[in-house]
Amino acid sequence: FWVAVKRLPRYLKFVAAMARDGDVPKQAKAALAVGGVYTVSPIDLVPGIIPVAGQLDDLVVLLLAIRTAIRACPPELAAAHLERAGLARTDIDDDLRATKDTAKWLA
């Protein structure tokens, strides 16, 4: 789980670059926007005031939004953005799995 948290700056760099790129499809940008809004919104499935659990749902939604955006992009465009951010496709799946495992452990 902490590996995913340490990668957050890279994920945010990835999201910002995708949002600014005119070649990124609108569907991908929409997925990133929905994930970003949920992450910063005070209305969550698990309130943010609950330590760790409150942040886990935000991280899961953000990672799912990123994965959805990647799938909505042409493969070469997504790969270029991932490489510039210092990420691999497997990082997202690994971090999602770790975050879900942490949520199960907390429950």
Side-chain angles (χ1 to χ4, degrees):
F1 168 73
W2 292 112
V3 173
V5 172
K6 289 180 183 178
R7 281 193 193 123
L8 267 176
R10 286 187 257 167
Y11 285 127
L12 296 176
K13 179 180 177 181
F14 173 81
V15 169
M18 292 275 284
R20 287 191 305 265
D21 189 341
D23 293 331
V24 172
K26 289 180 184 178
Q27 294 169 321
K29 289 183 180 186
L32 294 173
V34 168
V37 167
Y38 181 88
T39 300
V40 299
S41 171
I43 301 169
D44 287 340
L45 292 174
V46 180
I49 60 170
I50 299 172
V52 182
Q55 289 71 44
L56 280 175
D57 74 318
D58 292 340
L59 184 57
V60 168
V61 170
L62 182 63
L63 290 171
L64 288 172
I66 290 170
R67 187 169 70 180
T68 301
I70 289 170
R71 290 177 177 171
C73 281
E76 61 280 351
L77 181 61
H81 278 287
L82 285 166
E83 185 178 332
R84 274 180 268 173
L87 295 166
R89 282 182 187 259
T90 56
D91 292 340
I92 297 159
D93 292 331
D94 292 345
D95 291 345
L96 265 171
R97 194 174 313 105
T99 304
K100 288 177 182 177
D101 290 345
T102 302
K104 287 178 188 175
W105 180 80
L106 283 174

